[in-house]
Amino acid sequence: MHIVVCIKQVPDSAQIRVHPVTNTIMRQGVPTIINPYDLFALEEALRLKDKFGATVTVLTMGPPTAADSLRKTLTFGADRAVLLTDRYFAGSDTLATSYALSMALGKIAEEFGKPEIIFTGKQTIDGDTAQVGPGIAKRLGYNQLTYIARISEVDLDAATIRVERRAEGGVQDLVSSFPVLITMLEASNEMRRGTIENALGAARAEVVTWNAEAVGIEDLTKCGLRGSPTIVKKVFAPTARAEKAEIVEAEGGVDAKAAALVEAIFAKAPGIEGDLLELAGEHYV
Amino acid sequence: MAEDKKPAPAAGGRAQTKKELPEHFKAYKHVWVAVEIEHGQVHPVSFELLGEGRKLADKRGVELAAVVMGDDRESLEAAARAAFEYGADCAYLACDPALKHYRNEAATRVLTDIVNTYKPEILLLGATNLGRDLAGSVATTLQTGLTADCTELAIDEEGSLAATRPTFGGSLLCTIFTLNFRPQMATVRPRVLAMPEREEGRQGRIVEVTPGLVEDDIVTKVLDFIADRDSDQAQLPYADIVVAGGLGLGSVENFQLVKDLAEVLGAEYGGSRPLVQKGWITSDRQIGQTGKTIRPKLYIAAGISGAIQHRVGVEGADVIVAINTDPDAPIFAFAHLGIVADAVTLLPALTAAFAARLRVNRLAS
Ligand SMILES: Cc1cc2nc3c(=O)[nH]c(=O)nc-3n(C[C@H](O)[C@H](O)[C@H](O)COP(=O)(O)OP(=O)(O)OC[C@H]3O[C@@H](n4cnc5c(N)ncnc54)[C@H](O)[C@@H]3O)c2cc1C
Ligand SMILES: Nc1ncnc2c1ncn2[C@@H]1O[C@H](COP(=O)(O)O)[C@@H](O)[C@H]1O
């Protein structure tokens, strides 16, 4: 079995700061990480590898420095890393990103064998759209299984996979034939630790690096800013609320404070007291 | 990612300015909402979108339409009637046995066909698992732009859809346009938009479409659907009262104080993201940008700093009450009521005070 995992190297957004005056992002010194959601996809691929035997190829589109994240996946046990990088990809939205990645996946299929399963994360923490996975699936004609909480069965002979998909109000028990694109739900598994052996290998491993031309992209207008139908026109900071919070103060101990707060809440939200009686009253008769 | 782009440079690039729409896009008119129906139930986010869609359609001077897809004619007709009462002028009704359960392939095929035939200029979906799954495939098939998880929709002076969403991990907002492609697509999460008034008896027209799906062509098979028991999943988004805790509580044991207050108030409880990461609460109880958006009448936040990612999930609350030891905590900048206090000692007192107050009222009435 051949499995490809798509990962993205993202700025650790917990550490992003916005310049208080210019409202621009201060990127300097912000460390990059593997998109946390993609680790669930990677771990699931590695589990399938452990169980059924598989080659796991990891793919990312990004700047040359994204090779660091790829190497990291090798320390966990991925077999091969592919970096798609080209200045023409700069400014890609999800449509352009899924185009470029689908071309790279075509090339991967050609060079290393057609993947039965492509994994992506549920979403990225920087783009946060959850669109790239479905975009790739549609372009490659892979059956799309999103928000997968569990892979319950793989039947290699029948070439089918059975999964539990988180839907609104319940869980779908689904079966599909290969090839499929799966987006893994967060917390669906726990990422393993890398091994020293893999780490040593990873440091030496060669990252397969392709540009637009190498993956057969002839029409560059489908890439980057030019290939992106969405346009970001304005970036701005959320406005503060006009009034500040009314601060409740009370003399005395904590009970006095609590009583004052209850009064203040009922004063601010006059309707709530009636609601509360309906909702909670029966507990207290 | 569009969101990775720097603030747009002065207009000039190919896509950066609105050009005369290509001839084949000129027929695209009207605002549509793809109504989400699972197991005969319309997801309330669809009504919220119809309310917003009505405003956009009026601004554009066009019609608002709902797309209802499923396998049960009766529930589809009921959904269409509800859509009319929430503002739709028209409903495209697609009934097919293959649409019994939501499946991406079937739904994508049907929705793209209807779009290609009837040509909307704006297409809105809920940013639920279903909506995001479907929107991504439809936008790729149609090769058009899609803006996910918007917090605000508007029409600009040129008549384009201006879709605003958080960016850079929520620290900033950005406004995204799809100027030169149609339809302009966007998803919005449940509870971000207010529920519109329902106008009983409001009528519209139904347009039948024939999906003509062939079950054998659909690769995904649904073996079973295991409905959540009510208690399995938090009902945060639609709760009237929500009590939440943050890291300031100090320990998972102290989090019990939040649950105690919630119980007395008949409220749902939730928390900030670090609590999910620490395993104090399950992820369906996370409130904020990467958790649930809530719109309760009353929101009580104890020991939560009020980071922007948390704020965007609670701003729709009527009254936000913050309990925090730090008078400079960011949450006081958007809370309506605040108290500078140790939540660990205040919460039990608050629970007792509410209980006492309710008991008195209860006896009086
Ligand atoms: C991409 C991304 C997405 C995110 N999504 C979300 C999201 O959806 N939801 C979310 O909540 N966060 C989210 N976050 C995290 C967010 O940035 C904050 O880190 C988080 O909300 C902080 O949680 P907190 O307020 O509980 O903890 P802290 O920021 O540590 O705040 C604790 C607060 O408790 C107060 N405190 C301390 N002791 C007491 C006491 N005894 N009594 C009362 N108050 C006390 C402190 O003064 C402080 O204000 C996201 C972050 C990123 C990068
Ligand atoms: N540049 C990229 N390179 C490889 N995979 C990506 C890239 N961008 C997004 N993905 C994958 O698509 C998923 C969804 O991303 P997004 O649509 O940005 O939320 C991510 O979790 C990744 O698995």
Side-chain angles (χ1 to χ4, degrees):
Chain A
M1 190 161 44
H2 186 197
I3 302 173
V4 177
V5 184
C6 295
I7 66 153
K8 188 178 183 195
Q9 177 167 298
V10 295
D12 185 353
S13 48
Q15 304 198 33
I16 287 189
R17 293 285 169 269
V18 177
H19 193 283
V21 179
T22 59
N23 263 339
T24 49
I25 294 291
M26 303 193 288
R27 285 168 183 270
Q28 292 85 348
V30 176
T32 54
I33 52 172
I34 298 174
N35 175 40
Y37 291 105
D38 297 346
L39 294 176
F40 302 111
L42 178 61
E43 174 61 26
E44 206 59 34
L46 294 173
R47 287 184 184 187
L48 292 178
K49 175 182 167 177
D50 293 345
K51 213 160 161 192
F52 302 101
T55 309
V56 176
T57 301
V58 179
L59 167 67
T60 194
M61 176 182 101
T65 50
D68 297 345
S69 290
L70 287 174
R71 276 183 207 286
K72 180 107 207 202
T73 67
L74 297 177
T75 69
F76 295 127
D79 300 291
R80 181 188 296 118
V82 177
L83 172 65
L84 178 65
T85 186
D86 203 311
R87 63 192 173 87
Y88 293 113
F89 298 140
S92 295
D93 74 356
T94 56
L95 197 74
T97 300
S98 64
Y99 171 70
L101 287 171
S102 66
M103 292 302 283
L105 284 156
K107 173 89 172 170
I108 286 174
E110 224 171 79
E111 298 266 314
F112 310 117
K114 181 173 169 177
E116 280 87 359
I117 307 177
I118 299 171
F119 278 105
T120 70
K122 184 183 96 170
Q123 64 197 61
T124 50
I125 60 167
D126 60 344
D128 200 11
T129 73
Q131 279 161 213
V132 170
I136 294 171
K138 191 46 71 197
R139 288 173 185 280
L140 294 177
Y142 272 47
N143 193 33
Q144 165 180 330
L145 302 169
T146 54
Y147 304 101
I148 300 307
R150 197 166 88 91
I151 295 179
S152 40
E153 248 173 69
V154 175
D155 186 335
L156 287 177
D157 297 325
T160 58
I161 185 162
R162 183 170 168 186
V163 297
E164 287 173 13
R165 173 173 189 272
R166 167 95 330 249
E168 299 301 315
V171 174
Q172 289 183 319
D173 181 0
L174 302 175
V175 67
S176 165
S177 48
F178 289 143
V180 288
L181 181 135
I182 294 178
T183 84
M184 284 307 289
L185 210 58
E186 70 272 25
S188 46
N189 57 40
E190 213 170 302
M191 190 65 208
R192 65 192 58 199
R193 291 174 180 279
T195 65
I196 306 234
E197 195 191 352
N198 285 339
L200 291 174
R204 286 191 303 269
E206 191 199 337
V207 171
V208 179
T209 305
W210 290 331
N211 62 10
E213 195 189 346
V215 297
I217 295 176
E218 281 161 8
D219 185 1
L220 289 170
T221 64
K222 285 186 166 177
C223 298
L225 218 47
R226 287 202 295 168
S228 301
T230 59
I231 297 147
V232 181
K233 271 209 179 170
K234 197 168 91 176
V235 179
F236 57 102
T239 45
R241 240 168 47 82
E243 319 138 49
K244 282 246 163 199
E246 175 190 328
I247 300 291
V248 176
E249 281 169 274
E251 296 297 317
V254 67
D255 292 329
K257 278 190 169 166
L261 186 54
V262 170
E263 289 312 318
I265 289 171
F266 286 147
K268 266 273 191 264
I272 214 82
E273 195 162 5
D275 291 351
L276 274 180
L277 279 175
E278 269 174 42
L279 281 165
E282 54 267 29
H283 294 295
Y284 302 101
V285 275
Chain B
M1 311 282 74
E3 298 71 39
D4 281 348
K5 286 179 224 164
K6 303 250 166 58
R14 183 188 78 113
Q16 296 293 324
T17 45
K18 185 173 166 76
K19 299 186 296 196
E20 171 119 14
L21 266 185
E23 212 46 51
H24 61 285
F25 282 142
K26 286 200 176 142
Y28 283 69
K29 274 202 184 70
H30 308 304
V31 177
W32 287 15
V33 173
V35 172
E36 180 167 332
I37 306 174
E38 263 196 310
H39 305 279
Q41 287 292 318
V42 176
H43 195 295
V45 72
S46 303
F47 299 138
E48 294 160 15
L49 286 167
L50 284 165
E52 190 68 16
R54 183 71 260 166
K55 292 183 208 156
L56 301 177
D58 289 344
K59 192 104 192 274
R60 292 288 295 141
V62 296
E63 281 194 349
L64 175 68
V67 181
V68 293
M69 305 188 278
D71 72 317
D72 173 42
R73 176 159 298 275
E74 218 168 287
S75 63
L76 292 180
E77 282 173 1
R81 276 195 304 276
F84 298 147
E85 296 188 338
Y86 281 111
D89 303 304
C90 158
Y92 296 95
L93 189 150
C95 188
D96 192 297
L99 294 171
K100 180 169 167 58
H101 294 278
Y102 172 76
R103 285 178 296 174
N104 176 272
E105 282 167 282
T108 302
R109 198 165 316 162
V110 174
L111 186 54
T112 41
D113 280 353
I114 307 179
V115 167
N116 283 329
T117 312
Y118 296 98
K119 307 187 190 325
E121 66 175 0
I122 293 173
L123 173 58
L124 308 175
L125 296 96
T128 57
N129 285 7
L130 188 158
R132 280 181 157 210
D133 181 272
L134 179 58
S137 307
V138 169
T140 310
T141 312
L142 297 170
Q143 298 277 297
T144 190
L146 165 60
T147 307
D149 238 347
C150 301
T151 50
E152 208 182 311
L153 300 174
I155 301 287
D156 80 345
E157 330 62 68
E158 289 176 324
S160 306
L161 178 69
T164 298
R165 72 186 301 264
T167 184
F168 295 111
S171 359
L172 292 174
L173 296 169
C174 65
T175 306
I176 298 181
F177 291 79
T178 298
L179 294 180
N180 302 314
F181 297 85
R182 291 292 179 271
Q184 306 160 82
M185 291 179 62
T187 63
V188 183
R189 278 208 279 173
R191 294 304 255 170
V192 166
L193 302 167
M195 182 63 83
E197 290 290 331
R198 182 171 191 153
E199 199 184 317
E200 299 289 338
R202 193 178 174 282
Q203 303 280 326
R205 61 174 203 287
I206 289 185
V207 179
E208 282 280 342
V209 291
T210 319
L213 294 168
V214 179
E215 179 58 45
D216 285 348
D217 292 348
I218 301 168
V219 177
T220 306
K221 301 295 172 202
V222 182
L223 302 179
D224 200 1
F225 180 84
I226 305 114
D228 295 326
R229 278 175 293 127
D230 270 356
S231 55
D232 282 2
Q233 290 271 308
Q235 302 299 320
L236 276 175
Y238 290 90
D240 277 337
I241 304 177
V242 176
V243 185
L247 275 183
L249 292 172
S251 72
V252 65
E253 289 74 32
N254 288 340
F255 191 81
Q256 183 61 38
L257 305 173
V258 166
K259 292 194 201 171
D260 293 345
L261 177 56
E263 198 189 327
V264 162
L265 297 179
E268 279 283 357
Y269 70 89
S272 63
R273 184 163 85 158
L275 305 203
V276 177
Q277 289 161 336
K278 282 181 173 290
W280 295 5
I281 55 173
T282 50
S283 64
D284 60 324
R285 294 196 181 272
Q286 180 187 320
I287 298 167
Q289 189 202 336
T290 46
K292 296 284 191 286
T293 299
I294 60 172
R295 225 173 214 288
K297 294 179 180 161
L298 174 63
Y299 176 54
I300 301 178
I304 294 180
S305 60
I308 180 68
Q309 294 90 355
H310 189 81
R311 174 179 168 174
V312 295
V314 304
E315 266 175 328
D318 292 342
V319 176
I320 300 173
V321 180
I323 305 170
N324 200 302
T325 41
D326 174 7
D328 296 323
I331 195 159
F332 290 124
F334 61 90
H336 303 87
L337 268 180
I339 187 159
V340 180
D342 174 10
V344 180
T345 52
L346 184 69
L347 279 173
L350 197 57
T351 304
F354 269 119
R357 174 74 181 249
L358 289 172
R359 201 180 294 118
V360 169
N361 280 339
R362 184 78 187 179
L363 291 176
S365 67

